[in-house]
């Protein structure tokens, strides 16, 4: 049996933390009290003008590659989950490949599943590895959501941040990823979207993130509970056997409600939403890397990663680290 095992992780956050009070000082009509009470967010990182998703992905990837102890030319698959790519094309994954100095290796492509992107990308990479076609995958979530925020919409601009997280996934005879599930229901697309595009050299539609926060909240709590139960069921593992839940970091209240549904105490949930805000596809690998580097997550631990986002899309991965 070929498993896909996480050999190393890395992450990167641009610049200094920007607090809720810093946003107020920049003229956003909000308050630290409101943002903390409704979301748990205290700060986020915002990339400088000129920094791109592939730049953040590059820094996170270098750290993951170092932690895994692999040579870059051993990597035969690169998947970048992003909804804020550098360009329409080429993909952020091929730009990352070039920045890493990898030439003429295996496949490199982007996955666009918004905040579920990392769960999707990990699930896809695992299938490549388990099939035997590829043996060392670099899987990255990298986002610069600050570029698609309407800074006059206080209902959304306070929620998001920029960053990247990466893992090296390699073929192993030891257990790694034990189960995964990814889903979508496109009929929910209007409740979270950036309904614009580029045509004839101009933006058509609306190029900013729009969200019906309450509808997203309800949907997220429902499907996150379901999909975590689904991967546990696939592997025949009970929630009591899970060491860590590492959910997408959008809102501490969604995270608490999901943990409660699963019967997992908050002490076993990795949360970064206070310090990072919602970094979309980057939030899960950022939280995973943090918990590995600070010693909370140890080899042999069973972890559920799960995300939900625009599309709507959602997914979960159960793995043994
Ligand atoms: O990755 C997935 C992406 N998104 C999510 O997971 C987000 C899910 N949804 C949420 O987290 C919450 O719905 C929000 C945090 C976005 C909003 O919280 P809420 O409790 O649903 O608030 P609301 O939208 O119902 O707004 C309540 C009030 C409104 O004022 P009125 O109409 O009651 O006077 C808003 O205008 O809060 C006001 N408000 C704000 N006040 C201060 C909205 N945004 C802000 C703000 N600062 N930033």
């Amino acid at each position: 049996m070929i498993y896909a095992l996480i050999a190393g992780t890395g992450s990167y956050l641009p610049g200094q933390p920007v607090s809720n009070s810093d946003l107020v000082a920049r003229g956003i009509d909000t308050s630290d009290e409101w943002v903390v009470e409704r979301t748990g967010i205290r700060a986020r990182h915002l990339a400088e003008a000129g920094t791109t998703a592939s730049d953040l992905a590059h820094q996170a990837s270098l750290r993951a590659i170092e932690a895994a102890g692999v040579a870059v030319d051993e990597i035969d698959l690169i998947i970048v989950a992003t909804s804020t790519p550098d360009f329409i094309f080429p993909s952020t994954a091929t730009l990352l490949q070039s920045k890493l100095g990898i030439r003429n290796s295996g496949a490199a492509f982007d996955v666009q599943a918004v905040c579920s992107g990392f769960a999707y990308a990990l699930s896809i990479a695992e299938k490549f590895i388990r099939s035997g076609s590829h043996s060392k995958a670099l899987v990255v979530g990298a986002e610069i959501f600050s570029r698609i925020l309407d800074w006059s919409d206080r209902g959304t601009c306070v929620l998001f941040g920029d960053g990247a997280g990466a893992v090296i996934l390699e073929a192993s005879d030891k257990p790694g990823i034990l189960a995964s599930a990814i889903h979508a229901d496109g009929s929910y697309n209007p409740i979270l979207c950036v309904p614009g595009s580029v045509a004839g050299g101009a933006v058509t539609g609306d190029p900013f993130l729009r969200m019906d926060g309450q509808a997203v909240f309800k949907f997220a709590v429902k499907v996150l509970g379901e999909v975590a139960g689904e991967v546990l069921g696939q592997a025949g593992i009970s929630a009591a056997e899970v060491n860590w839940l590492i959910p997408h970091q959008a809102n501490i209240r969604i995270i608490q409600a999901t943990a409660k549904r699963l019967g997992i105490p908050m002490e076993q949930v990795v949360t970064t939403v206070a310090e990072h805000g919602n970094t979309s596809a980057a939030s899960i690998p950022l939280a995973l890397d943090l918990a590995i580097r600070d010693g909370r997550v140890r080899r042999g631990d069973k972890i559920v990663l799960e995300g939900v986002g625009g599309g709507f899309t959602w997914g979960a991965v159960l793995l043994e680290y």
Side-chain angles (χ1 to χ4, degrees), residues 30 34 38-39 115 154-155 211 213-214 216 248 250-251 254 278:
T30 189
W34 190 95
R38 303 283 175 132
T39 71
C115 304
R154 66 179 184 170
M211 179 172 73
Q214 291 191 359
V216 170
H248 169 50
N251 183 318
I254 296 177
N278 181 346

Side-chain angles (χ1 to χ4, degrees), residues 223-233 245 258 262 304 306 315-316 318:
V223 297
L224 287 174
E226 285 170 5
V227 78
E230 185 180 347
V231 291
L232 291 173
L245 174 65
T258 307
L262 291 169
V304 173
E306 59 170 358
L318 169 67

Side-chain angles (χ1 to χ4, degrees), residues 163-184:
V167 305
I168 296 288
L169 204 60
E170 68 182 14
S172 169
D173 52 5
K174 293 195 207 86
I177 292 179
L178 304 172
S180 67
I182 50 177
H183 296 285

Side-chain angles (χ1 to χ4, degrees), residues 74-86:
E74 293 174 65
I75 295 168
D76 54 7
L77 174 65
I78 299 176
I79 308 180
V80 176
T82 187
S83 299
T84 48
D86 296 25

Side-chain angles (χ1 to χ4, degrees), residues 20-132:
N20 296 332
S21 304
D22 292 335
L23 293 185
V24 174
R26 292 180 189 191
I28 310 290
D29 178 19
T30 189
S31 66
D32 181 54
E33 295 72 27
W34 190 95
V35 181
V36 171
E37 189 192 315
R38 303 283 175 132
T39 71
I41 297 167
R42 293 180 183 276
R44 73 287 293 143
H45 290 249
L46 303 175
E48 294 283 329
T51 301
T52 64
S54 72
D55 292 331
L56 305 187
H58 183 211
Q59 294 306 318
S61 298
L62 290 174
R63 292 171 189 187
I65 288 164
E66 188 187 17
V70 299
V72 284
D73 52 14
E74 293 174 65
I75 295 168
D76 54 7
L77 174 65
I78 299 176
I79 308 180
V80 176
T82 187
S83 299
T84 48
D86 296 25
F87 301 127
I88 291 174
F89 74 79
S91 69
T92 306
T94 57
L95 297 171
L96 172 62
Q97 185 197 40
S98 168
K99 285 180 181 173
L100 289 169
I102 304 172
R103 296 195 65 191
N104 195 20
S105 71
F109 58 90
D110 289 1
V111 164
Q112 216 278 37
V114 201
C115 304
S116 316
F118 189 75
Y120 263 63
L122 205 56
S123 164
I124 294 164
E126 190 253 349
K127 286 169 176 53
F128 274 70
I129 287 177
R130 200 154 37 82
S131 76

Side-chain angles (χ1 to χ4, degrees), residues 265-283:
M266 281 306 287
E267 299 73 53
Q268 286 169 242
V269 182
V270 178
T271 65
T272 56
V273 69
E275 299 82 21
H276 300 172
N278 181 346
T279 57
S280 190
S283 88

